[in-house]
PDB file of all heavy atoms in Angstrom:
ATOM      1  N   VAL A  18       0.844  -1.195   0.000  1.00  0.00           N
ATOM      2  CA  VAL A  18       0.000   0.000   0.000  1.00  0.00           C
ATOM      3  C   VAL A  18       0.879   1.243   0.000  1.00  0.00           C
ATOM      4  O   VAL A  18       1.750   1.401   0.854  1.00  0.00           O
ATOM      5  CB  VAL A  18      -0.939   0.000   1.222  1.00  0.00           C
ATOM      6  CG1 VAL A  18      -1.783   1.272   1.242  1.00  0.00           C
ATOM      7  CG2 VAL A  18      -1.830  -1.237   1.203  1.00  0.00           C
ATOM      8  N   GLU A  19       0.686   2.114  -0.971  1.00  0.00           N
ATOM      9  CA  GLU A  19       1.454   3.347  -1.098  1.00  0.00           C
ATOM     10  C   GLU A  19       0.515   4.505  -1.414  1.00  0.00           C
ATOM     11  O   GLU A  19      -0.502   4.317  -2.079  1.00  0.00           O
ATOM     12  CB  GLU A  19       2.477   3.247  -2.235  1.00  0.00           C
ATOM     13  CG  GLU A  19       3.531   2.185  -2.093  1.00  0.00           C
ATOM     14  CD  GLU A  19       4.512   2.234  -3.243  1.00  0.00           C
ATOM     15  OE1 GLU A  19       5.303   3.199  -3.315  1.00  0.00           O
ATOM     16  OE2 GLU A  19       4.490   1.318  -4.082  1.00  0.00           O
ATOM     17  N   PRO A  20       0.861   5.708  -0.983  1.00  0.00           N
ATOM     18  CA  PRO A  20       0.071   6.878  -1.399  1.00  0.00           C
ATOM     19  C   PRO A  20       0.339   7.182  -2.866  1.00  0.00           C
ATOM     20  O   PRO A  20       1.370   6.789  -3.422  1.00  0.00           O
ATOM     21  CB  PRO A  20       0.603   7.997  -0.500  1.00  0.00           C
ATOM     22  CG  PRO A  20       2.006   7.573  -0.169  1.00  0.00           C
ATOM     23  CD  PRO A  20       1.967   6.072  -0.078  1.00  0.00           C
ATOM     24  N   LYS A  21      -0.581   7.879  -3.501  1.00  0.00           N
ATOM     25  CA  LYS A  21      -0.358   8.272  -4.884  1.00  0.00           C
ATOM     26  C   LYS A  21       0.832   9.221  -4.978  1.00  0.00           C
ATOM     27  O   LYS A  21       1.070  10.043  -4.093  1.00  0.00           O
ATOM     28  CB  LYS A  21      -1.612   8.954  -5.447  1.00  0.00           C
ATOM     29  CG  LYS A  21      -2.777   8.016  -5.704  1.00  0.00           C
ATOM     30  CD  LYS A  21      -3.944   8.758  -6.347  1.00  0.00           C
ATOM     31  CE  LYS A  21      -5.110   7.823  -6.606  1.00  0.00           C
ATOM     32  NZ  LYS A  21      -6.256   8.531  -7.232  1.00  0.00           N
ATOM     33  N   SER A  22       1.578   9.090  -6.042  1.00  0.00           N
ATOM     34  CA  SER A  22       2.742   9.943  -6.254  1.00  0.00           C
ATOM     35  C   SER A  22       2.306  11.393  -6.462  1.00  0.00           C
ATOM     36  O   SER A  22       1.235  11.663  -7.022  1.00  0.00           O
ATOM     37  CB  SER A  22       3.526   9.477  -7.473  1.00  0.00           C
ATOM     38  OG  SER A  22       3.914   8.134  -7.350  1.00  0.00           O
ATOM     39  N   ARG A  23       3.144  12.305  -6.030  1.00  0.00           N
ATOM     40  CA  ARG A  23       2.853  13.720  -6.236  1.00  0.00           C
ATOM     41  C   ARG A  23       2.959  14.073  -7.713  1.00  0.00           C
ATOM     42  O   ARG A  23       2.311  14.979  -8.198  1.00  0.00           O
ATOM     43  CB  ARG A  23       3.814  14.579  -5.414  1.00  0.00           C
ATOM     44  CG  ARG A  23       3.664  14.391  -3.924  1.00  0.00           C
ATOM     45  CD  ARG A  23       4.594  15.308  -3.147  1.00  0.00           C
ATOM     46  NE  ARG A  23       4.276  16.712  -3.331  1.00  0.00           N
ATOM     47  CZ  ARG A  23       4.936  17.708  -2.762  1.00  0.00           C
ATOM     48  NH1 ARG A  23       5.976  17.429  -1.977  1.00  0.00           N
ATOM     49  NH2 ARG A  23       4.598  18.962  -2.970  1.00  0.00           N
ATOM     50  N   GLY A  24       3.819  13.346  -8.422  1.00  0.00           N
ATOM     51  CA  GLY A  24       3.986  13.584  -9.852  1.00  0.00           C
ATOM     52  C   GLY A  24       3.366  12.465 -10.667  1.00  0.00           C
ATOM     53  O   GLY A  24       3.276  11.325 -10.226  1.00  0.00           O
ATOM     54  N   GLY A  25       2.916  12.806 -11.877  1.00  0.00           N
ATOM     55  CA  GLY A  25       2.441  11.800 -12.812  1.00  0.00           C
ATOM     56  C   GLY A  25       0.977  11.456 -12.720  1.00  0.00           C
ATOM     57  O   GLY A  25       0.499  10.601 -13.471  1.00  0.00           O
ATOM     58  N   ASN A  26       0.224  12.088 -11.812  1.00  0.00           N
ATOM     59  CA  ASN A  26      -1.189  11.758 -11.652  1.00  0.00           C
ATOM     60  C   ASN A  26      -2.127  12.887 -12.064  1.00  0.00           C
ATOM     61  O   ASN A  26      -3.326  12.830 -11.768  1.00  0.00           O
ATOM     62  CB  ASN A  26      -1.471  11.353 -10.195  1.00  0.00           C
ATOM     63  CG  ASN A  26      -0.982   9.943  -9.898  1.00  0.00           C
ATOM     64  OD1 ASN A  26      -1.305   9.002 -10.625  1.00  0.00           O
ATOM     65  ND2 ASN A  26      -0.187   9.790  -8.847  1.00  0.00           N
ATOM     66  N   LYS A  27      -1.595  13.886 -12.744  1.00  0.00           N
ATOM     67  CA  LYS A  27      -2.453  14.967 -13.236  1.00  0.00           C
ATOM     68  C   LYS A  27      -3.434  14.412 -14.265  1.00  0.00           C
ATOM     69  O   LYS A  27      -3.056  13.636 -15.141  1.00  0.00           O
ATOM     70  CB  LYS A  27      -1.599  16.064 -13.866  1.00  0.00           C
ATOM     71  CG  LYS A  27      -2.418  17.215 -14.434  1.00  0.00           C
ATOM     72  CD  LYS A  27      -1.522  18.226 -15.122  1.00  0.00           C
ATOM     73  CE  LYS A  27      -2.363  19.336 -15.759  1.00  0.00           C
ATOM     74  NZ  LYS A  27      -1.517  20.321 -16.478  1.00  0.00           N
ATOM     75  N   SER A  28      -4.688  14.800 -14.150  1.00  0.00           N
ATOM     76  CA  SER A  28      -5.704  14.317 -15.074  1.00  0.00           C
ATOM     77  C   SER A  28      -6.679  15.443 -15.412  1.00  0.00           C
ATOM     78  O   SER A  28      -7.186  16.120 -14.501  1.00  0.00           O
ATOM     79  CB  SER A  28      -6.469  13.144 -14.464  1.00  0.00           C
ATOM     80  OG  SER A  28      -7.407  12.605 -15.371  1.00  0.00           O
ATOM     81  N   PRO A  29      -6.929  15.691 -16.708  1.00  0.00           N
ATOM     82  CA  PRO A  29      -6.312  15.010 -17.849  1.00  0.00           C
ATOM     83  C   PRO A  29      -4.917  15.561 -18.123  1.00  0.00           C
ATOM     84  O   PRO A  29      -4.517  16.579 -17.562  1.00  0.00           O
ATOM     85  CB  PRO A  29      -7.277  15.332 -18.994  1.00  0.00           C
ATOM     86  CG  PRO A  29      -7.825  16.685 -18.620  1.00  0.00           C
ATOM     87  CD  PRO A  29      -7.953  16.668 -17.119  1.00  0.00           C
ATOM     88  N   TYR A  30      -4.184  14.889 -19.014  1.00  0.00           N
ATOM     89  CA  TYR A  30      -2.887  15.371 -19.464  1.00  0.00           C
ATOM     90  C   TYR A  30      -2.784  15.101 -20.965  1.00  0.00           C
ATOM     91  O   TYR A  30      -3.510  14.266 -21.512  1.00  0.00           O
ATOM     92  CB  TYR A  30      -1.736  14.706 -18.693  1.00  0.00           C
ATOM     93  CG  TYR A  30      -1.584  13.221 -18.949  1.00  0.00           C
ATOM     94  CD1 TYR A  30      -0.679  12.740 -19.890  1.00  0.00           C
ATOM     95  CD2 TYR A  30      -2.338  12.280 -18.230  1.00  0.00           C
ATOM     96  CE1 TYR A  30      -0.532  11.379 -20.118  1.00  0.00           C
ATOM     97  CE2 TYR A  30      -2.190  10.926 -18.445  1.00  0.00           C
ATOM     98  CZ  TYR A  30      -1.284  10.470 -19.397  1.00  0.00           C
ATOM     99  OH  TYR A  30      -1.144   9.124 -19.624  1.00  0.00           O
ATOM    100  N   THR A  31      -1.908  15.824 -21.620  1.00  0.00           N
ATOM    101  CA  THR A  31      -1.802  15.728 -23.074  1.00  0.00           C
ATOM    102  C   THR A  31      -0.382  15.383 -23.489  1.00  0.00           C
ATOM    103  O   THR A  31       0.586  15.975 -22.994  1.00  0.00           O
ATOM    104  CB  THR A  31      -2.215  17.057 -23.740  1.00  0.00           C
ATOM    105  OG1 THR A  31      -3.556  17.386 -23.339  1.00  0.00           O
ATOM    106  CG2 THR A  31      -2.154  16.958 -25.249  1.00  0.00           C
ATOM    107  N   VAL A  32      -0.254  14.408 -24.378  1.00  0.00           N
ATOM    108  CA  VAL A  32       1.039  14.014 -24.941  1.00  0.00           C
ATOM    109  C   VAL A  32       0.881  13.878 -26.446  1.00  0.00           C
ATOM    110  O   VAL A  32      -0.047  13.207 -26.927  1.00  0.00           O
ATOM    111  CB  VAL A  32       1.534  12.678 -24.342  1.00  0.00           C
ATOM    112  CG1 VAL A  32       2.822  12.231 -25.041  1.00  0.00           C
ATOM    113  CG2 VAL A  32       1.768  12.805 -22.851  1.00  0.00           C
ATOM    114  N   LEU A  33       1.764  14.566 -27.196  1.00  0.00           N
ATOM    115  CA  LEU A  33       1.744  14.506 -28.661  1.00  0.00           C
ATOM    116  C   LEU A  33       0.359  14.816 -29.221  1.00  0.00           C
ATOM    117  O   LEU A  33      -0.114  14.179 -30.169  1.00  0.00           O
ATOM    118  CB  LEU A  33       2.231  13.134 -29.144  1.00  0.00           C
ATOM    119  CG  LEU A  33       3.665  12.746 -28.738  1.00  0.00           C
ATOM    120  CD1 LEU A  33       4.006  11.360 -29.248  1.00  0.00           C
ATOM    121  CD2 LEU A  33       4.660  13.772 -29.274  1.00  0.00           C
ATOM    122  N   GLY A  34      -0.297  15.795 -28.598  1.00  0.00           N
ATOM    123  CA  GLY A  34      -1.572  16.263 -29.110  1.00  0.00           C
ATOM    124  C   GLY A  34      -2.779  15.443 -28.721  1.00  0.00           C
ATOM    125  O   GLY A  34      -3.909  15.776 -29.109  1.00  0.00           O
ATOM    126  N   LYS A  35      -2.587  14.399 -27.936  1.00  0.00           N
ATOM    127  CA  LYS A  35      -3.706  13.560 -27.518  1.00  0.00           C
ATOM    128  C   LYS A  35      -3.896  13.660 -26.007  1.00  0.00           C
ATOM    129  O   LYS A  35      -2.934  13.702 -25.251  1.00  0.00           O
ATOM    130  CB  LYS A  35      -3.463  12.105 -27.923  1.00  0.00           C
ATOM    131  CG  LYS A  35      -4.668  11.206 -27.685  1.00  0.00           C
ATOM    132  CD  LYS A  35      -4.453   9.816 -28.273  1.00  0.00           C
ATOM    133  CE  LYS A  35      -5.659   8.924 -28.037  1.00  0.00           C
ATOM    134  NZ  LYS A  35      -5.475   7.568 -28.605  1.00  0.00           N
ATOM    135  N   THR A  36      -5.158  13.678 -25.575  1.00  0.00           N
ATOM    136  CA  THR A  36      -5.473  13.846 -24.161  1.00  0.00           C
ATOM    137  C   THR A  36      -5.799  12.512 -23.516  1.00  0.00           C
ATOM    138  O   THR A  36      -6.507  11.677 -24.095  1.00  0.00           O
ATOM    139  CB  THR A  36      -6.669  14.800 -23.988  1.00  0.00           C
ATOM    140  OG1 THR A  36      -6.338  16.075 -24.555  1.00  0.00           O
ATOM    141  CG2 THR A  36      -7.006  14.986 -22.510  1.00  0.00           C
ATOM    142  N   TYR A  37      -5.259  12.322 -22.308  1.00  0.00           N
ATOM    143  CA  TYR A  37      -5.466  11.077 -21.560  1.00  0.00           C
ATOM    144  C   TYR A  37      -6.009  11.406 -20.170  1.00  0.00           C
ATOM    145  O   TYR A  37      -5.740  12.473 -19.624  1.00  0.00           O
ATOM    146  CB  TYR A  37      -4.148  10.305 -21.426  1.00  0.00           C
ATOM    147  CG  TYR A  37      -3.541   9.927 -22.749  1.00  0.00           C
ATOM    148  CD1 TYR A  37      -2.666  10.797 -23.408  1.00  0.00           C
ATOM    149  CD2 TYR A  37      -3.831   8.702 -23.349  1.00  0.00           C
ATOM    150  CE1 TYR A  37      -2.099  10.455 -24.627  1.00  0.00           C
ATOM    151  CE2 TYR A  37      -3.273   8.355 -24.573  1.00  0.00           C
ATOM    152  CZ  TYR A  37      -2.411   9.228 -25.202  1.00  0.00           C
ATOM    153  OH  TYR A  37      -1.866   8.898 -26.414  1.00  0.00           O
ATOM    154  N   TYR A  38      -6.751  10.447 -19.604  1.00  0.00           N
ATOM    155  CA  TYR A  38      -7.344  10.626 -18.282  1.00  0.00           C
ATOM    156  C   TYR A  38      -6.829   9.529 -17.346  1.00  0.00           C
ATOM    157  O   TYR A  38      -6.750   8.346 -17.725  1.00  0.00           O
ATOM    158  CB  TYR A  38      -8.866  10.560 -18.373  1.00  0.00           C
ATOM    159  CG  TYR A  38      -9.455  11.715 -19.146  1.00  0.00           C
ATOM    160  CD1 TYR A  38      -9.560  11.655 -20.528  1.00  0.00           C
ATOM    161  CD2 TYR A  38      -9.884  12.865 -18.492  1.00  0.00           C
ATOM    162  CE1 TYR A  38     -10.091  12.716 -21.246  1.00  0.00           C
ATOM    163  CE2 TYR A  38     -10.422  13.933 -19.200  1.00  0.00           C
ATOM    164  CZ  TYR A  38     -10.510  13.857 -20.584  1.00  0.00           C
ATOM    165  OH  TYR A  38     -11.022  14.919 -21.298  1.00  0.00           O
ATOM    166  N   VAL A  39      -6.479   9.917 -16.126  1.00  0.00           N
ATOM    167  CA  VAL A  39      -5.979   8.978 -15.124  1.00  0.00           C
ATOM    168  C   VAL A  39      -7.155   8.423 -14.325  1.00  0.00           C
ATOM    169  O   VAL A  39      -7.994   9.180 -13.832  1.00  0.00           O
ATOM    170  CB  VAL A  39      -4.982   9.674 -14.173  1.00  0.00           C
ATOM    171  CG1 VAL A  39      -4.507   8.698 -13.095  1.00  0.00           C
ATOM    172  CG2 VAL A  39      -3.787  10.202 -14.968  1.00  0.00           C
ATOM    173  N   MET A  40      -7.191   7.113 -14.185  1.00  0.00           N
ATOM    174  CA  MET A  40      -8.266   6.481 -13.414  1.00  0.00           C
ATOM    175  C   MET A  40      -8.102   6.813 -11.933  1.00  0.00           C
ATOM    176  O   MET A  40      -6.973   6.853 -11.422  1.00  0.00           O
ATOM    177  CB  MET A  40      -8.220   4.958 -13.606  1.00  0.00           C
ATOM    178  CG  MET A  40      -8.514   4.504 -15.026  1.00  0.00           C
ATOM    179  SD  MET A  40      -8.560   2.692 -15.185  1.00  0.00           S
ATOM    180  CE  MET A  40      -6.833   2.301 -14.969  1.00  0.00           C
ATOM    181  N   PRO A  41      -9.205   7.046 -11.223  1.00  0.00           N
ATOM    182  CA  PRO A  41      -9.101   7.322  -9.783  1.00  0.00           C
ATOM    183  C   PRO A  41      -8.572   6.126  -9.005  1.00  0.00           C
ATOM    184  O   PRO A  41      -7.971   6.272  -7.947  1.00  0.00           O
ATOM    185  CB  PRO A  41     -10.539   7.664  -9.382  1.00  0.00           C
ATOM    186  CG  PRO A  41     -11.396   7.051 -10.445  1.00  0.00           C
ATOM    187  CD  PRO A  41     -10.602   7.117 -11.699  1.00  0.00           C
ATOM    188  N   SER A  42      -8.785   4.917  -9.526  1.00  0.00           N
ATOM    189  CA  SER A  42      -8.320   3.699  -8.869  1.00  0.00           C
ATOM    190  C   SER A  42      -8.129   2.619  -9.929  1.00  0.00           C
ATOM    191  O   SER A  42      -8.811   2.621 -10.962  1.00  0.00           O
ATOM    192  CB  SER A  42      -9.346   3.229  -7.828  1.00  0.00           C
ATOM    193  OG  SER A  42      -9.057   1.913  -7.387  1.00  0.00           O
ATOM    194  N   GLY A  43      -7.206   1.711  -9.649  1.00  0.00           N
ATOM    195  CA  GLY A  43      -7.000   0.594 -10.569  1.00  0.00           C
ATOM    196  C   GLY A  43      -7.885  -0.594 -10.256  1.00  0.00           C
ATOM    197  O   GLY A  43      -7.796  -1.630 -10.927  1.00  0.00           O
ATOM    198  N   SER A  44      -8.730  -0.476  -9.249  1.00  0.00           N
ATOM    199  CA  SER A  44      -9.565  -1.589  -8.799  1.00  0.00           C
ATOM    200  C   SER A  44     -10.407  -2.148  -9.952  1.00  0.00           C
ATOM    201  O   SER A  44     -11.138  -1.405 -10.619  1.00  0.00           O
ATOM    202  CB  SER A  44     -10.481  -1.136  -7.661  1.00  0.00           C
ATOM    203  OG  SER A  44     -11.323  -2.188  -7.241  1.00  0.00           O
ATOM    204  N   GLY A  45     -10.292  -3.452 -10.176  1.00  0.00           N
ATOM    205  CA  GLY A  45     -11.079  -4.116 -11.199  1.00  0.00           C
ATOM    206  C   GLY A  45     -10.514  -4.009 -12.605  1.00  0.00           C
ATOM    207  O   GLY A  45     -11.079  -4.585 -13.543  1.00  0.00           O
ATOM    208  N   TYR A  46      -9.397  -3.292 -12.777  1.00  0.00           N
ATOM    209  CA  TYR A  46      -8.840  -3.109 -14.119  1.00  0.00           C
ATOM    210  C   TYR A  46      -8.271  -4.426 -14.646  1.00  0.00           C
ATOM    211  O   TYR A  46      -7.495  -5.105 -13.982  1.00  0.00           O
ATOM    212  CB  TYR A  46      -7.746  -2.052 -14.113  1.00  0.00           C
ATOM    213  CG  TYR A  46      -6.962  -1.979 -15.405  1.00  0.00           C
ATOM    214  CD1 TYR A  46      -7.482  -1.321 -16.514  1.00  0.00           C
ATOM    215  CD2 TYR A  46      -5.714  -2.583 -15.505  1.00  0.00           C
ATOM    216  CE1 TYR A  46      -6.766  -1.260 -17.705  1.00  0.00           C
ATOM    217  CE2 TYR A  46      -4.993  -2.527 -16.690  1.00  0.00           C
ATOM    218  CZ  TYR A  46      -5.528  -1.865 -17.786  1.00  0.00           C
ATOM    219  OH  TYR A  46      -4.813  -1.815 -18.959  1.00  0.00           O
ATOM    220  N   LYS A  47      -8.652  -4.778 -15.861  1.00  0.00           N
ATOM    221  CA  LYS A  47      -8.151  -5.972 -16.530  1.00  0.00           C
ATOM    222  C   LYS A  47      -8.291  -5.734 -18.030  1.00  0.00           C
ATOM    223  O   LYS A  47      -9.371  -5.404 -18.511  1.00  0.00           O
ATOM    224  CB  LYS A  47      -8.934  -7.216 -16.104  1.00  0.00           C
ATOM    225  CG  LYS A  47      -8.334  -8.535 -16.551  1.00  0.00           C
ATOM    226  CD  LYS A  47      -9.127  -9.697 -15.935  1.00  0.00           C
ATOM    227  CE  LYS A  47      -8.493 -11.042 -16.257  1.00  0.00           C
ATOM    228  NZ  LYS A  47      -9.236 -12.157 -15.636  1.00  0.00           N
ATOM    229  N   GLU A  48      -7.204  -5.910 -18.765  1.00  0.00           N
ATOM    230  CA  GLU A  48      -7.232  -5.583 -20.186  1.00  0.00           C
ATOM    231  C   GLU A  48      -6.245  -6.468 -20.934  1.00  0.00           C
ATOM    232  O   GLU A  48      -5.179  -6.830 -20.425  1.00  0.00           O
ATOM    233  CB  GLU A  48      -6.874  -4.104 -20.395  1.00  0.00           C
ATOM    234  CG  GLU A  48      -6.958  -3.638 -21.835  1.00  0.00           C
ATOM    235  CD  GLU A  48      -6.634  -2.157 -21.988  1.00  0.00           C
ATOM    236  OE1 GLU A  48      -6.231  -1.531 -20.988  1.00  0.00           O
ATOM    237  OE2 GLU A  48      -6.788  -1.637 -23.110  1.00  0.00           O
ATOM    238  N   ARG A  49      -6.627  -6.807 -22.165  1.00  0.00           N
ATOM    239  CA  ARG A  49      -5.729  -7.550 -23.046  1.00  0.00           C
ATOM    240  C   ARG A  49      -5.326  -6.654 -24.208  1.00  0.00           C
ATOM    241  O   ARG A  49      -6.128  -5.862 -24.706  1.00  0.00           O
ATOM    242  CB  ARG A  49      -6.401  -8.820 -23.576  1.00  0.00           C
ATOM    243  CG  ARG A  49      -6.593  -9.882 -22.504  1.00  0.00           C
ATOM    244  CD  ARG A  49      -7.036 -11.211 -23.097  1.00  0.00           C
ATOM    245  NE  ARG A  49      -7.056 -12.256 -22.076  1.00  0.00           N
ATOM    246  CZ  ARG A  49      -7.175 -13.554 -22.346  1.00  0.00           C
ATOM    247  NH1 ARG A  49      -7.280 -13.974 -23.609  1.00  0.00           N
ATOM    248  NH2 ARG A  49      -7.171 -14.441 -21.359  1.00  0.00           N
ATOM    249  N   GLY A  50      -4.083  -6.792 -24.615  1.00  0.00           N
ATOM    250  CA  GLY A  50      -3.587  -5.975 -25.712  1.00  0.00           C
ATOM    251  C   GLY A  50      -2.121  -6.252 -25.949  1.00  0.00           C
ATOM    252  O   GLY A  50      -1.589  -7.290 -25.535  1.00  0.00           O
ATOM    253  N   VAL A  51      -1.459  -5.298 -26.580  1.00  0.00           N
ATOM    254  CA  VAL A  51      -0.047  -5.460 -26.952  1.00  0.00           C
ATOM    255  C   VAL A  51       0.843  -4.760 -25.931  1.00  0.00           C
ATOM    256  O   VAL A  51       0.603  -3.606 -25.571  1.00  0.00           O
ATOM    257  CB  VAL A  51       0.215  -4.888 -28.350  1.00  0.00           C
ATOM    258  CG1 VAL A  51       1.700  -4.986 -28.709  1.00  0.00           C
ATOM    259  CG2 VAL A  51      -0.624  -5.635 -29.387  1.00  0.00           C
ATOM    260  N   ALA A  52       1.867  -5.470 -25.461  1.00  0.00           N
ATOM    261  CA  ALA A  52       2.883  -4.891 -24.570  1.00  0.00           C
ATOM    262  C   ALA A  52       4.162  -4.672 -25.357  1.00  0.00           C
ATOM    263  O   ALA A  52       4.498  -5.442 -26.258  1.00  0.00           O
ATOM    264  CB  ALA A  52       3.152  -5.819 -23.388  1.00  0.00           C
ATOM    265  N   SER A  53       4.856  -3.600 -25.026  1.00  0.00           N
ATOM    266  CA  SER A  53       6.190  -3.349 -25.560  1.00  0.00           C
ATOM    267  C   SER A  53       7.133  -3.181 -24.379  1.00  0.00           C
ATOM    268  O   SER A  53       6.723  -3.324 -23.226  1.00  0.00           O
ATOM    269  CB  SER A  53       6.176  -2.096 -26.455  1.00  0.00           C
ATOM    270  OG  SER A  53       5.598  -1.000 -25.772  1.00  0.00           O
ATOM    271  N   TRP A  54       8.396  -2.881 -24.652  1.00  0.00           N
ATOM    272  CA  TRP A  54       9.336  -2.668 -23.547  1.00  0.00           C
ATOM    273  C   TRP A  54      10.261  -1.507 -23.889  1.00  0.00           C
ATOM    274  O   TRP A  54      10.452  -1.165 -25.043  1.00  0.00           O
ATOM    275  CB  TRP A  54      10.124  -3.931 -23.234  1.00  0.00           C
ATOM    276  CG  TRP A  54      11.001  -4.445 -24.350  1.00  0.00           C
ATOM    277  CD1 TRP A  54      10.636  -5.281 -25.370  1.00  0.00           C
ATOM    278  CD2 TRP A  54      12.393  -4.164 -24.559  1.00  0.00           C
ATOM    279  NE1 TRP A  54      11.697  -5.530 -26.186  1.00  0.00           N
ATOM    280  CE2 TRP A  54      12.797  -4.873 -25.716  1.00  0.00           C
ATOM    281  CE3 TRP A  54      13.336  -3.400 -23.877  1.00  0.00           C
ATOM    282  CZ2 TRP A  54      14.099  -4.825 -26.213  1.00  0.00           C
ATOM    283  CZ3 TRP A  54      14.641  -3.357 -24.361  1.00  0.00           C
ATOM    284  CH2 TRP A  54      15.010  -4.068 -25.511  1.00  0.00           C
ATOM    285  N   TYR A  55      10.804  -0.900 -22.845  1.00  0.00           N
ATOM    286  CA  TYR A  55      11.746   0.192 -23.051  1.00  0.00           C
ATOM    287  C   TYR A  55      12.987  -0.027 -22.203  1.00  0.00           C
ATOM    288  O   TYR A  55      12.927  -0.621 -21.139  1.00  0.00           O
ATOM    289  CB  TYR A  55      11.110   1.555 -22.832  1.00  0.00           C
ATOM    290  CG  TYR A  55      10.545   1.903 -21.468  1.00  0.00           C
ATOM    291  CD1 TYR A  55      10.872   3.120 -20.875  1.00  0.00           C
ATOM    292  CD2 TYR A  55       9.653   1.072 -20.794  1.00  0.00           C
ATOM    293  CE1 TYR A  55      10.339   3.497 -19.647  1.00  0.00           C
ATOM    294  CE2 TYR A  55       9.110   1.443 -19.575  1.00  0.00           C
ATOM    295  CZ  TYR A  55       9.465   2.650 -19.008  1.00  0.00           C
ATOM    296  OH  TYR A  55       8.949   3.020 -17.787  1.00  0.00           O
ATOM    297  N   GLY A  56      14.129   0.426 -22.723  1.00  0.00           N
ATOM    298  CA  GLY A  56      15.390   0.036 -22.110  1.00  0.00           C
ATOM    299  C   GLY A  56      16.416   1.134 -21.950  1.00  0.00           C
ATOM    300  O   GLY A  56      16.200   2.135 -21.266  1.00  0.00           O
ATOM    301  N   LYS A  57      17.537   0.959 -22.637  1.00  0.00           N
ATOM    302  CA  LYS A  57      18.733   1.737 -22.335  1.00  0.00           C
ATOM    303  C   LYS A  57      18.599   3.221 -22.642  1.00  0.00           C
ATOM    304  O   LYS A  57      19.221   4.056 -21.991  1.00  0.00           O
ATOM    305  CB  LYS A  57      19.923   1.154 -23.106  1.00  0.00           C
ATOM    306  CG  LYS A  57      21.277   1.497 -22.506  1.00  0.00           C
ATOM    307  CD  LYS A  57      22.372   0.640 -23.100  1.00  0.00           C
ATOM    308  CE  LYS A  57      23.697   0.897 -22.406  1.00  0.00           C
ATOM    309  NZ  LYS A  57      24.765   0.029 -22.942  1.00  0.00           N
ATOM    310  N   LYS A  58      17.784   3.553 -23.632  1.00  0.00           N
ATOM    311  CA  LYS A  58      17.639   4.966 -23.989  1.00  0.00           C
ATOM    312  C   LYS A  58      17.059   5.780 -22.833  1.00  0.00           C
ATOM    313  O   LYS A  58      17.311   6.975 -22.700  1.00  0.00           O
ATOM    314  CB  LYS A  58      16.751   5.103 -25.228  1.00  0.00           C
ATOM    315  CG  LYS A  58      16.663   6.529 -25.755  1.00  0.00           C
ATOM    316  CD  LYS A  58      15.952   6.580 -27.076  1.00  0.00           C
ATOM    317  CE  LYS A  58      16.780   6.000 -28.191  1.00  0.00           C
ATOM    318  NZ  LYS A  58      17.969   6.821 -28.516  1.00  0.00           N
ATOM    319  N   PHE A  59      16.278   5.127 -21.968  1.00  0.00           N
ATOM    320  CA  PHE A  59      15.636   5.822 -20.856  1.00  0.00           C
ATOM    321  C   PHE A  59      16.243   5.450 -19.508  1.00  0.00           C
ATOM    322  O   PHE A  59      15.853   6.007 -18.492  1.00  0.00           O
ATOM    323  CB  PHE A  59      14.139   5.496 -20.841  1.00  0.00           C
ATOM    324  CG  PHE A  59      13.466   5.763 -22.149  1.00  0.00           C
ATOM    325  CD1 PHE A  59      12.837   4.742 -22.851  1.00  0.00           C
ATOM    326  CD2 PHE A  59      13.478   7.029 -22.704  1.00  0.00           C
ATOM    327  CE1 PHE A  59      12.222   4.988 -24.066  1.00  0.00           C
ATOM    328  CE2 PHE A  59      12.867   7.292 -23.921  1.00  0.00           C
ATOM    329  CZ  PHE A  59      12.237   6.271 -24.607  1.00  0.00           C
TER     330      PHE A  59
END
């Protein structure tokens, strides 16, 4: 159990011209789709 981070939870937020909304809670979240990975550049 952790408190929400002070950073990264602003909702809505915009990246590359598209707007996204942060869910108030992850409870019940389940989704299928494509995963990618990120590495040394970051």
Side-chain angles (χ1 to χ4, degrees):
V18 178
E19 298 183 70
K21 288 184 180 180
S22 303
R23 296 183 65 180
N26 284 308
K27 179 184 177 182
S28 183
Y30 67 96
T31 303
V32 175
L33 300 179
K35 188 172 180 180
T36 300
Y37 300 89
Y38 294 86
V39 178
M40 295 184 290
S42 168
S44 178
Y46 170 79
K47 190 174 185 179
E48 184 178 6
R49 290 190 173 192
V51 177
S53 52
W54 62 274
Y55 62 132
K57 202 166 185 178
K58 186 172 289 292
F59 307 120

